[in-house]
Amino acid sequence: MLEIKKVVPNSLKQNLVNAIGWKTNRKIVVIESDDWGSIRMPSLAVYHYLIEQGLDIGSYYNRLDSLETEKDISALFEILDAFRVKTGKTPVITGNFLVANPNFERIKSDHFQNYHYEPFIKTYQRYPGCEKSFQTLQEGVVARLFRPQFHGREHLNVPMWMEALQDGHHETILAFECNCWGYKRDYKDAGAVRFQSAFNCRHLKDDAYYKDVLIEGLQLFERIFGYRFRSFIAQNFVWNNSIEKILAELGVHIIQGNRNQSIPMNGNQCYRTKLHYTGQRNRLGQRYLVRNAFFEPSSNPSKDWISSCIKEINNAFLWKTPAIISAHRVNFIGSLVPENREHNLRLFSKLLYEIQKKWPMVEFVSSDSLFIKNMEIPC
Ligand SMILES: [Zn+2]
């Protein structure tokens, strides 16, 4: 595998990754959106309470991201559908799902001795505004506007989190009482990113746990959506060879990601970085899809995301490789800050029309079907 030192500027790395990626004359755009199904910040009241309690929850995800409401989903689908009606093209979003959330009540009644989870469709029933989220979601899936794939069983490193709860770690328990775990605070060697990062393998013995997580996640996904996912995106881009091997055994042929994979080393104290490019094949025959364009306005509202994204798509097409746009769920969520959703949807709609104007032959393709249809991987 290639490894590029940090001294190489980002634009050069991007050119290099696009240059060696899979080649096509077609103008293919893939839109990948992570984090669907996960709670993140349960409510504005919890957000303010945790700040009052002194927890470091400064990330924009905690301020803006929450379980998707029916309104969030339908507002996004309206944009996609209006584009389809106007242009005759179906813009599909690959929605990467966490199929479960912790079952806080059961974990508490077990005095933190055992972990329990619930399918995200059950979590929908307990969150105001989410009661009809699944029904609305399914309408978009049937209309081929939204294609669910797999981001993990839950967006949580269960062994580390349970250890912190069993140790009585004050802040972890405080957040737990509010149905929350994504705050930014070190617990021993397990920082917030690592609580959020399920595949941050700490010990070799964790492999058995990861196998259970992936198998149960796959079964739950299939029960909920009625089909098997073929592509996977690791949380926080952290995973190792064992995860790939388990996924290959489960029939997952496509690994989504950024150009850098973080591989945990030496009991989680450091990472090795591995560079990937689109179409690259690993020893198990799996292929990588690498994001080379970004629409993440929630992360920096003052940036001109439309022109930067168009430039990135242009670069991908110059190198005759698909444009794979990263657009996390947080950009489309309005239950905590309605303006976040409204503003970003306006931008997203503009972006779609700009793409269509600049490349009338554009084809919107989901992550799993790009590889299966165009790269001849057996499905
Ligand atoms: Zn994620």
Side-chain angles (χ1 to χ4, degrees):
M1 293 297 169
L2 282 169
E3 290 200 33
I4 297 183
K5 295 255 163 22
K6 284 201 171 94
V7 291
V8 179
N10 268 338
S11 57
L12 267 183
K13 284 185 199 168
Q14 196 63 55
N15 270 291
L16 179 63
V17 166
N18 283 338
I20 56 181
W22 176 70
K23 300 294 163 202
T24 177
N25 282 322
R26 293 161 62 195
K27 309 296 184 206
I28 295 174
V29 169
V30 180
I31 304 168
E32 294 179 346
S33 185
D34 300 348
D35 300 340
W36 297 83
S38 189
I39 294 172
R40 196 68 206 214
M41 186 53 63
S43 68
L44 215 48
V46 168
Y47 174 74
H48 290 304
Y49 172 74
L50 293 178
I51 285 182
E52 262 172 46
Q53 297 300 311
L55 257 68
D56 183 357
I57 50 169
S59 153
Y60 68 94
Y61 279 97
N62 283 326
R63 190 166 51 82
L64 303 171
D65 197 22
S66 192
L67 194 63
E68 55 277 3
T69 60
E70 184 198 2
K71 204 170 171 187
D72 294 326
I73 300 168
S74 61
L76 176 60
F77 290 175
E78 269 170 37
I79 298 287
L80 299 174
D81 198 46
F83 181 85
R84 173 164 59 181
V85 169
K86 207 160 177 188
T87 65
K89 280 188 186 150
T90 305
V92 62
I93 292 180
T94 302
N96 293 309
F97 272 82
L98 290 311
V99 291
N101 285 296
N103 185 326
F104 292 89
E105 243 168 64
R106 286 193 65 195
I107 297 169
K108 195 176 181 180
S109 66
D110 264 1
H111 308 286
F112 304 137
Q113 292 313 298
N114 296 296
Y115 177 72
H116 303 277
Y117 62 85
E118 65 181 16
F120 74 94
I121 48 175
K122 224 173 180 182
T123 317
Y124 278 166
Q125 297 312 311
R126 292 189 294 99
Y127 274 71
C130 298
E131 301 87 344
K132 291 184 182 159
S133 285
F134 189 63
Q135 202 181 317
T136 310
L137 194 67
Q138 280 296 72
E139 288 166 13
V141 174
V142 169
R144 297 177 182 274
L145 296 170
F146 203 72
R147 176 69 172 168
Q149 292 292 292
F150 191 60
H151 193 21
R153 195 182 66 189
E154 57 279 278
H155 214 309
L156 172 66
N157 192 311
V158 174
M160 284 188 192
W161 190 58
M162 290 302 290
E163 192 186 302
L165 290 171
Q166 285 161 12
D167 270 7
H169 183 245
H170 172 68
E171 292 189 342
T172 307
I173 289 176
L174 193 72
F176 175 95
E177 295 292 349
C178 301
N179 292 8
C180 185
W181 65 87
Y183 69 96
K184 204 169 188 171
R185 178 78 186 183
D186 277 349
Y187 163 69
K188 291 182 183 170
D189 58 344
V193 168
R194 293 168 190 166
F195 276 170
Q196 280 283 118
S197 177
F199 304 107
N200 202 339
C201 306
R202 204 174 181 193
H203 308 294
L204 280 177
K205 68 174 172 55
D206 287 345
D207 275 4
Y209 157 74
Y210 294 117
K211 195 166 187 170
D212 285 348
V213 162
L214 291 168
I215 291 173
E216 288 173 20
L218 179 127
Q219 289 168 344
L220 199 49
F221 185 101
E222 198 172 2
R223 267 215 318 275
I224 293 170
F225 291 111
Y227 64 89
R228 281 190 172 206
F229 56 83
R230 295 290 180 187
S231 76
F232 164 79
I233 170 82
Q235 298 156 24
N236 304 88
F237 313 106
V238 178
W239 78 98
N240 66 10
N241 286 348
S242 305
I243 301 292
E244 290 186 350
K245 190 166 173 283
I246 300 164
L247 287 167
E249 286 164 9
L250 296 174
V252 177
H253 299 293
I254 298 141
I255 315 277
Q256 302 175 38
N258 277 350
R259 61 175 182 247
N260 288 329
Q261 170 189 359
S262 296
I263 305 170
M265 309 289 288
N266 303 330
N268 215 14
Q269 295 304 306
C270 62
Y271 299 90
R272 186 163 71 84
T273 302
K274 202 175 190 179
L275 189 91
H276 293 298
Y277 56 89
T278 291
Q280 178 189 23
R281 193 192 280 268
N282 69 12
R283 74 211 177 286
L284 301 165
Q286 292 161 315
R287 301 256 203 177
Y288 299 95
L289 262 190
V290 170
R291 296 172 182 176
N292 53 9
F294 299 87
F295 177 79
E296 303 283 2
S298 292
S299 70
N300 178 5
S302 62
K303 178 175 166 177
D304 183 350
W305 288 92
I306 297 177
S307 69
S308 65
C309 194
I310 291 289
K311 266 185 211 156
E312 288 155 348
I313 297 168
N314 195 46
N315 187 276
F317 289 167
L318 279 176
W319 289 110
K320 296 183 183 298
T321 200
I324 301 170
I325 304 174
S326 167
H328 280 73
R329 176 189 71 173
V330 61
N331 300 290
F332 307 116
I333 298 299
S335 52
L336 302 181
V337 179
E339 181 53 18
N340 178 62
R341 178 185 62 216
E342 308 314 329
H343 178 68
N344 295 343
L345 281 181
R346 280 194 297 274
L347 291 182
F348 184 61
S349 175
K350 253 189 196 169
L351 175 66
L352 291 176
Y353 289 104
E354 284 287 318
I355 294 171
Q356 170 69 24
K357 198 168 100 191
K358 203 164 163 57
W359 298 284
M361 300 301 284
V362 66
E363 296 170 57
F364 294 95
V365 175
S366 66
S367 309
D368 56 326
S369 63
L370 171 73
F371 273 81
I372 289 163
K373 284 185 189 155
N374 298 306
M375 292 189 171
E376 292 164 3
I377 287 175
C379 54

PDB file of all heavy atoms in Angstrom, residues 34-35 40 61 96 98 151 155 196 233-236 328, ligand 1:
ATOM      1  N   ASP A  34     -23.019  10.050   6.303  1.00  0.00           N
ATOM      2  CA  ASP A  34     -22.870   9.147   7.456  1.00  0.00           C
ATOM      3  C   ASP A  34     -23.746   9.592   8.643  1.00  0.00           C
ATOM      4  O   ASP A  34     -24.155  10.741   8.714  1.00  0.00           O
ATOM      5  CB  ASP A  34     -21.416   9.165   7.954  1.00  0.00           C
ATOM      6  CG  ASP A  34     -20.420   8.722   6.899  1.00  0.00           C
ATOM      7  OD1 ASP A  34     -20.842   8.191   5.864  1.00  0.00           O
ATOM      8  OD2 ASP A  34     -19.210   8.914   7.131  1.00  0.00           O
ATOM      9  N   ASP A  35     -23.928   8.660   9.558  1.00  0.00           N
ATOM     10  CA  ASP A  35     -24.451   8.897  10.921  1.00  0.00           C
ATOM     11  C   ASP A  35     -25.962   8.739  11.078  1.00  0.00           C
ATOM     12  O   ASP A  35     -26.488   8.995  12.166  1.00  0.00           O
ATOM     13  CB  ASP A  35     -24.039  10.273  11.477  1.00  0.00           C
ATOM     14  CG  ASP A  35     -22.530  10.417  11.566  1.00  0.00           C
ATOM     15  OD1 ASP A  35     -21.839   9.381  11.582  1.00  0.00           O
ATOM     16  OD2 ASP A  35     -22.040  11.552  11.598  1.00  0.00           O
ATOM     17  N   ARG A  40     -26.753  10.905  18.763  1.00  0.00           N
ATOM     18  CA  ARG A  40     -25.868  12.071  18.980  1.00  0.00           C
ATOM     19  C   ARG A  40     -26.418  12.960  20.099  1.00  0.00           C
ATOM     20  O   ARG A  40     -26.547  12.482  21.205  1.00  0.00           O
ATOM     21  CB  ARG A  40     -25.652  12.844  17.661  1.00  0.00           C
ATOM     22  CG  ARG A  40     -24.452  13.811  17.730  1.00  0.00           C
ATOM     23  CD  ARG A  40     -23.123  13.076  17.839  1.00  0.00           C
ATOM     24  NE  ARG A  40     -22.084  13.812  18.469  1.00  0.00           N
ATOM     25  CZ  ARG A  40     -20.784  13.724  18.152  1.00  0.00           C
ATOM     26  NH1 ARG A  40     -20.395  12.914  17.192  1.00  0.00           N
ATOM     27  NH2 ARG A  40     -19.883  14.371  18.806  1.00  0.00           N
ATOM     28  N   TYR A  61     -20.956  18.975  15.941  1.00  0.00           N
ATOM     29  CA  TYR A  61     -21.878  17.828  15.898  1.00  0.00           C
ATOM     30  C   TYR A  61     -22.809  17.856  17.112  1.00  0.00           C
ATOM     31  O   TYR A  61     -24.000  17.612  17.002  1.00  0.00           O
ATOM     32  CB  TYR A  61     -21.098  16.505  15.892  1.00  0.00           C
ATOM     33  CG  TYR A  61     -20.567  16.130  14.533  1.00  0.00           C
ATOM     34  CD1 TYR A  61     -19.262  16.422  14.173  1.00  0.00           C
ATOM     35  CD2 TYR A  61     -21.376  15.484  13.607  1.00  0.00           C
ATOM     36  CE1 TYR A  61     -18.771  16.077  12.922  1.00  0.00           C
ATOM     37  CE2 TYR A  61     -20.894  15.137  12.359  1.00  0.00           C
ATOM     38  CZ  TYR A  61     -19.601  15.436  12.021  1.00  0.00           C
ATOM     39  OH  TYR A  61     -19.125  15.100  10.779  1.00  0.00           O
ATOM     40  N   ASN A  96     -25.505   6.248   5.235  1.00  0.00           N
ATOM     41  CA  ASN A  96     -24.812   5.217   6.024  1.00  0.00           C
ATOM     42  C   ASN A  96     -25.374   5.184   7.440  1.00  0.00           C
ATOM     43  O   ASN A  96     -25.285   6.171   8.175  1.00  0.00           O
ATOM     44  CB  ASN A  96     -23.313   5.496   6.004  1.00  0.00           C
ATOM     45  CG  ASN A  96     -22.743   5.300   4.611  1.00  0.00           C
ATOM     46  OD1 ASN A  96     -22.969   4.268   3.973  1.00  0.00           O
ATOM     47  ND2 ASN A  96     -22.027   6.299   4.101  1.00  0.00           N
ATOM     48  N   LEU A  98     -26.285   3.704  11.384  1.00  0.00           N
ATOM     49  CA  LEU A  98     -26.033   2.967  12.621  1.00  0.00           C
ATOM     50  C   LEU A  98     -27.383   2.324  12.922  1.00  0.00           C
ATOM     51  O   LEU A  98     -28.381   3.041  13.057  1.00  0.00           O
ATOM     52  CB  LEU A  98     -25.664   3.914  13.759  1.00  0.00           C
ATOM     53  CG  LEU A  98     -24.304   4.612  13.688  1.00  0.00           C
ATOM     54  CD1 LEU A  98     -23.179   3.642  13.382  1.00  0.00           C
ATOM     55  CD2 LEU A  98     -24.269   5.767  12.719  1.00  0.00           C
ATOM     56  N   HIS A 151     -22.899   1.778   8.609  1.00  0.00           N
ATOM     57  CA  HIS A 151     -21.863   2.575   9.287  1.00  0.00           C
ATOM     58  C   HIS A 151     -21.470   1.905  10.618  1.00  0.00           C
ATOM     59  O   HIS A 151     -20.561   2.341  11.294  1.00  0.00           O
ATOM     60  CB  HIS A 151     -22.424   3.975   9.530  1.00  0.00           C
ATOM     61  CG  HIS A 151     -21.421   5.025   9.924  1.00  0.00           C
ATOM     62  ND1 HIS A 151     -20.072   4.928   9.679  1.00  0.00           N
ATOM     63  CD2 HIS A 151     -21.589   6.220  10.563  1.00  0.00           C
ATOM     64  CE1 HIS A 151     -19.460   6.015  10.141  1.00  0.00           C
ATOM     65  NE2 HIS A 151     -20.346   6.796  10.696  1.00  0.00           N
ATOM     66  N   HIS A 155     -22.857   3.891  16.981  1.00  0.00           N
ATOM     67  CA  HIS A 155     -21.689   4.790  16.835  1.00  0.00           C
ATOM     68  C   HIS A 155     -21.010   4.888  18.196  1.00  0.00           C
ATOM     69  O   HIS A 155     -20.890   5.965  18.780  1.00  0.00           O
ATOM     70  CB  HIS A 155     -22.156   6.166  16.368  1.00  0.00           C
ATOM     71  CG  HIS A 155     -21.175   6.860  15.449  1.00  0.00           C
ATOM     72  ND1 HIS A 155     -19.853   7.018  15.741  1.00  0.00           N
ATOM     73  CD2 HIS A 155     -21.356   7.422  14.221  1.00  0.00           C
ATOM     74  CE1 HIS A 155     -19.256   7.665  14.743  1.00  0.00           C
ATOM     75  NE2 HIS A 155     -20.143   7.917  13.804  1.00  0.00           N
ATOM     76  N   GLN A 196     -16.868   7.399  20.350  1.00  0.00           N
ATOM     77  CA  GLN A 196     -17.670   7.457  19.127  1.00  0.00           C
ATOM     78  C   GLN A 196     -17.186   6.459  18.079  1.00  0.00           C
ATOM     79  O   GLN A 196     -17.866   6.214  17.108  1.00  0.00           O
ATOM     80  CB  GLN A 196     -17.568   8.863  18.514  1.00  0.00           C
ATOM     81  CG  GLN A 196     -18.458   9.913  19.145  1.00  0.00           C
ATOM     82  CD  GLN A 196     -19.889   9.776  18.706  1.00  0.00           C
ATOM     83  OE1 GLN A 196     -20.769   9.544  19.515  1.00  0.00           O
ATOM     84  NE2 GLN A 196     -20.143   9.888  17.417  1.00  0.00           N
ATOM     85  N   ILE A 233     -18.753   1.928   5.926  1.00  0.00           N
ATOM     86  CA  ILE A 233     -17.852   3.044   6.223  1.00  0.00           C
ATOM     87  C   ILE A 233     -17.522   2.988   7.714  1.00  0.00           C
ATOM     88  O   ILE A 233     -18.421   2.981   8.558  1.00  0.00           O
ATOM     89  CB  ILE A 233     -18.479   4.416   5.836  1.00  0.00           C
ATOM     90  CG1 ILE A 233     -17.658   5.593   6.356  1.00  0.00           C
ATOM     91  CG2 ILE A 233     -19.922   4.572   6.314  1.00  0.00           C
ATOM     92  CD1 ILE A 233     -16.490   5.957   5.522  1.00  0.00           C
ATOM     93  N   ALA A 234     -16.231   2.917   8.030  1.00  0.00           N
ATOM     94  CA  ALA A 234     -15.823   2.823   9.445  1.00  0.00           C
ATOM     95  C   ALA A 234     -16.019   4.170  10.134  1.00  0.00           C
ATOM     96  O   ALA A 234     -15.838   5.229   9.531  1.00  0.00           O
ATOM     97  CB  ALA A 234     -14.359   2.410   9.535  1.00  0.00           C
ATOM     98  N   GLN A 235     -16.383   4.110  11.395  1.00  0.00           N
ATOM     99  CA  GLN A 235     -16.565   5.340  12.170  1.00  0.00           C
ATOM    100  C   GLN A 235     -15.215   6.019  12.389  1.00  0.00           C
ATOM    101  O   GLN A 235     -14.242   5.364  12.758  1.00  0.00           O
ATOM    102  CB  GLN A 235     -17.236   4.998  13.498  1.00  0.00           C
ATOM    103  CG  GLN A 235     -18.613   4.399  13.273  1.00  0.00           C
ATOM    104  CD  GLN A 235     -19.083   3.553  14.411  1.00  0.00           C
ATOM    105  OE1 GLN A 235     -18.642   3.713  15.542  1.00  0.00           O
ATOM    106  NE2 GLN A 235     -19.988   2.624  14.131  1.00  0.00           N
ATOM    107  N   ASN A 236     -15.178   7.307  12.143  1.00  0.00           N
ATOM    108  CA  ASN A 236     -13.958   8.109  12.299  1.00  0.00           C
ATOM    109  C   ASN A 236     -12.792   7.585  11.445  1.00  0.00           C
ATOM    110  O   ASN A 236     -11.635   7.858  11.742  1.00  0.00           O
ATOM    111  CB  ASN A 236     -13.537   8.205  13.779  1.00  0.00           C
ATOM    112  CG  ASN A 236     -14.658   8.751  14.641  1.00  0.00           C
ATOM    113  OD1 ASN A 236     -15.496   7.982  15.136  1.00  0.00           O
ATOM    114  ND2 ASN A 236     -14.735  10.049  14.774  1.00  0.00           N
ATOM    115  N   HIS A 328     -22.181  14.723   5.634  1.00  0.00           N
ATOM    116  CA  HIS A 328     -22.698  14.051   6.835  1.00  0.00           C
ATOM    117  C   HIS A 328     -24.145  14.471   7.159  1.00  0.00           C
ATOM    118  O   HIS A 328     -24.582  15.557   6.779  1.00  0.00           O
ATOM    119  CB  HIS A 328     -21.803  14.355   8.032  1.00  0.00           C
ATOM    120  CG  HIS A 328     -20.560  13.514   8.064  1.00  0.00           C
ATOM    121  ND1 HIS A 328     -19.511  13.708   7.203  1.00  0.00           N
ATOM    122  CD2 HIS A 328     -20.215  12.448   8.851  1.00  0.00           C
ATOM    123  CE1 HIS A 328     -18.565  12.813   7.456  1.00  0.00           C
ATOM    124  NE2 HIS A 328     -18.961  12.035   8.448  1.00  0.00           N
TER     125      HIS A 328
HETATM  126 ZN    ZN B   1     -19.908   8.670  11.762  1.00  0.00          ZN
END
